[in-house]
Amino acid sequence: MSAHAVRTGVWFIGARGSVATTATAGCAAVAAGLHPAAGMVTETAPFAESGLPPVASLVFGGHDTLDCPLPKRAEVLAAGGVLPHGLPSAVRSELAAADAEIRPGGPLPGDTRTDEELVTAFAADLTDFTRRNGLARTVVVNVASTEPAPVPGAERLPASSLYAAAALRAGCPYVNFTPSTGLRTPALQTAVAAGALPHAGRDGKTGQTLLRSVLAPMFVQRALPVRAWSGTNLLGGGDGAALADPAAAAAKNAGKERVLADTLGSAPEGEVHIDDVPALGDWKTAWDHIAFDGFLGARMVLQTTWQGCDSALAAPLVLDLARLLARAHEAGLTGPRPELGFYFKDPDGGPPALSAQYLALLDFAERLRGEK
């Protein structure tokens, strides 16, 4: 059966959050021809014959601990300028259909279920979603809020790892678009190996770190020593609230700093600060201050300012990854997919420079084309 004759599931962890809502509404808009697929690399010419599931064939569901319906969530995003005016009404039926497929996540305060019971319940939700909708496969994508790194020796798995374990048990390819632990815990390594499923992650590269991954190679290639690289993020919304927790912010910043260390050869002086500014809503401002040396030790500075909406930046990438992992699964590919490092701050292997990552992604598209 060809990729064009089947439907593919996309199961979001954090299905009522800003990124998942934007991706669900945006997919419906692109499929209906209401808006172009700006930001979707998989909709560019090199991917045209790679056998990716069509945008119109994607079916959405997910887990969340929130109860705000997707149509209402989309209206809030439109009021904040994240979604175009009128789009929530235009795709209301698609949003309502996706919302009907969202199941309660966890563990919530007071939840007495064990890790095994939670994984079993989450996996059953995935299996039921795939079966009822007659889907060829379902890709699980974690877009939930960043969680703190687990405490060494903790008895319980972090929530992101419970969902990842459920994906393995249900036979679903998995994407971790967050800095949270997900599959990267010793407790799941045996299951990862036995599952023989394609997976990708970790921590999507959307704004400030995307710019860092472009600029850092420039300094290396021009032999310009970087003395210090500092940054500040001002953001609101759910991410701002989640990252107000110092432990969650530390997990997030680790990826931003890793990009510089991997590219420059060592971590330069300087830190990234994250400030929660609720008035900004789903919008953010990221500022970087880069101190570097020129010829004969001339001291120079480059400053950058990035203003944008993480949800609008992340949503097309999430759709790309769901389609690429679905196609990889169809082609029988397994294990971590380093070719998808283009999308991540902390990828599963592959080169650190964005330009090299893009070439690796194009090679992957060519490979998928040959797997038909």
Side-chain angles (χ1 to χ4, degrees):
M1 185 178 291
S2 72
H4 293 270
V6 301
R7 298 200 302 166
T8 298
V10 180
W11 187 269
F12 286 128
I13 308 304
R16 292 190 171 113
S18 296
V19 173
T21 304
T22 302
T24 303
C27 183
V30 170
L34 300 176
H35 288 273
M40 287 188 67
V41 180
T42 53
E43 283 295 287
T44 60
F47 297 84
E49 302 298 328
S50 296
L52 303 181
V55 172
S57 75
L58 302 182
V59 180
F60 295 93
H63 283 116
D64 210 317
T65 56
L66 303 177
D67 57 8
C68 178
L70 277 182
K72 178 62 177 176
R73 185 76 181 97
E75 290 173 1
V76 172
L77 292 175
V82 178
L83 296 180
H85 177 72
L87 182 62
S89 296
V91 298
R92 180 171 293 275
S93 61
E94 290 90 341
L95 290 169
D99 191 71
E101 296 289 355
I102 297 176
R103 300 294 179 262
L108 290 167
D111 194 333
T112 59
R113 288 177 292 178
T114 65
D115 284 358
E116 174 60 26
E117 289 171 333
L118 287 163
V119 171
T120 298
F122 296 157
D125 290 336
L126 280 163
T127 302
D128 178 65
F129 170 72
T130 304
R131 178 188 56 77
R132 283 188 298 98
N133 288 286
L135 307 175
R137 58 190 50 81
T138 295
V139 180
V140 176
V141 185
N142 182 17
V143 288
S145 296
T146 300
E147 65 188 13
V151 177
E155 294 183 2
R156 300 290 299 265
L157 286 173
S160 64
S161 296
L162 297 175
Y163 291 119
L168 294 175
R169 188 169 299 182
C172 298
Y174 174 82
V175 177
N176 187 4
F177 203 73
T178 81
S180 301
T181 304
L183 291 176
R184 295 194 189 182
T185 172
L188 294 183
Q189 294 316 295
T190 300
V192 169
L197 294 163
H199 56 88
R202 169 173 69 169
D203 197 4
K205 184 165 52 185
T206 55
Q208 183 182 42
T209 311
L210 175 65
L211 193 57
R212 286 179 164 212
S213 68
V214 173
L215 289 175
M218 176 191 74
F219 289 105
V220 173
Q221 292 160 10
R222 286 298 182 93
L224 298 171
V226 174
R227 291 185 292 108
W229 198 316
S230 300
T232 294
N233 275 253
L234 308 177
L235 68 161
D239 272 354
L243 296 175
D245 177 354
K252 184 72 172 178
N253 283 338
K256 294 178 180 290
E257 295 164 358
R258 186 179 297 107
V259 167
L260 295 182
D262 288 348
T263 306
L264 299 176
S266 61
E269 178 183 319
E271 298 179 344
V272 177
H273 297 276
I274 299 178
D275 294 327
D276 179 22
V277 185
L280 292 178
D282 283 279
W283 296 83
K284 69 179 292 184
T285 296
W287 171 75
D288 272 24
H289 183 282
I290 308 160
F292 64 99
D293 290 337
F295 190 51
L296 304 179
R299 295 294 181 95
M300 291 183 269
V301 168
L302 172 65
Q303 296 186 50
T304 66
T305 302
W306 178 290
Q307 293 179 305
C309 173
D310 262 359
S311 301
L313 291 165
L317 308 185
V318 164
L319 295 173
D320 277 353
L321 286 162
R323 299 173 77 198
L324 288 162
L325 260 292
R327 179 70 181 98
H329 186 248
E330 180 188 34
L333 303 181
T334 63
R337 305 315 314 170
E339 308 93 339
L340 302 183
F342 175 73
Y343 293 97
F344 299 101
K345 298 183 183 74
D346 183 16
D348 292 315
L354 189 70
S355 57
Q357 290 174 340
Y358 180 63
L359 292 177
L361 181 63
L362 295 183
D363 287 344
F364 189 50
E366 184 65 29
R367 179 180 179 182
L368 293 177
R369 196 157 31 245
E371 293 286 346
K372 282 188 173 182

